[in-house]
Amino acid sequence: MDSIRQNKVGRLIQRDLSEMFQKECKEFTVGAMLSVTAVRVSPDMSYARVYLSIFPSNLTEKVLESLAEKNKSIRFILGKKIGKQTRIIPELKFFVNDSLDYIDKIDSLLKQ
């Protein structure tokens, strides 16, 4: 169970990363549309697991590779945004939230 502080920092990171991917870091997304669905922060605030929804889904691997390569740049830009509000800027790990694909698959199976 996450603490209140973890939830607040997670929401802060989620909001700022979403804004960054729309405006400042468009070249990191390889032409795909990204949506930050959730951010889970470790209890010591040093790691953050960022869950992304990527459209179209066939670009998922390319986008994750690009984000892994540019991780330091993304963290630096994020640090400039939230540096006054948090003491530690967490290391970011990106994961795919494929719940939309799962929903589509279940929906198509139910229609058959």
Side-chain angles (χ1 to χ4, degrees), residues 4-109:
I4 294 171
R5 179 74 177 148
Q6 285 173 284
N7 289 333
K8 284 183 180 180
V9 171
R11 284 192 307 265
L12 176 70
I13 292 171
Q14 180 179 1
R15 184 190 71 214
D16 286 336
L17 278 179
S18 296
E19 194 175 288
M20 285 169 47
F21 289 141
Q22 287 178 0
K23 297 178 182 172
E24 301 158 8
C25 301
K26 278 188 176 181
E27 65 273 4
F28 299 164
T29 63
V30 193
M33 187 174 73
L34 289 184
S35 176
V36 181
T37 57
V39 176
R40 302 279 181 248
V41 182
S42 66
D44 62 352
M45 306 291 174
S46 62
Y47 293 99
R49 295 173 61 105
V50 180
Y51 294 94
L52 302 171
S53 179
I54 301 171
F55 182 80
S57 58
N58 60 352
L59 294 176
T60 301
E61 291 180 24
K62 289 181 183 178
V63 171
L64 287 179
E65 288 173 9
S66 174
L67 293 176
E69 289 175 8
K70 308 291 185 183
N71 198 347
K72 288 186 180 183
S73 302
I74 295 169
R75 188 174 176 211
F76 177 75
I77 297 169
L78 181 66
K80 288 197 296 189
K81 287 182 171 285
I82 68 170
K84 302 287 185 192
Q85 298 160 347
T86 61
R87 194 167 26 129
I88 298 171
I89 307 303
E91 284 187 40
L92 303 173
K93 303 261 184 182
F94 295 101
F95 298 94
V96 177
N97 183 358
D98 57 354
S99 60
L100 293 176
D101 294 334
Y102 182 72
I103 290 170
D104 286 340
K105 181 180 175 185
I106 295 296
D107 192 38
S108 68
L109 289 174

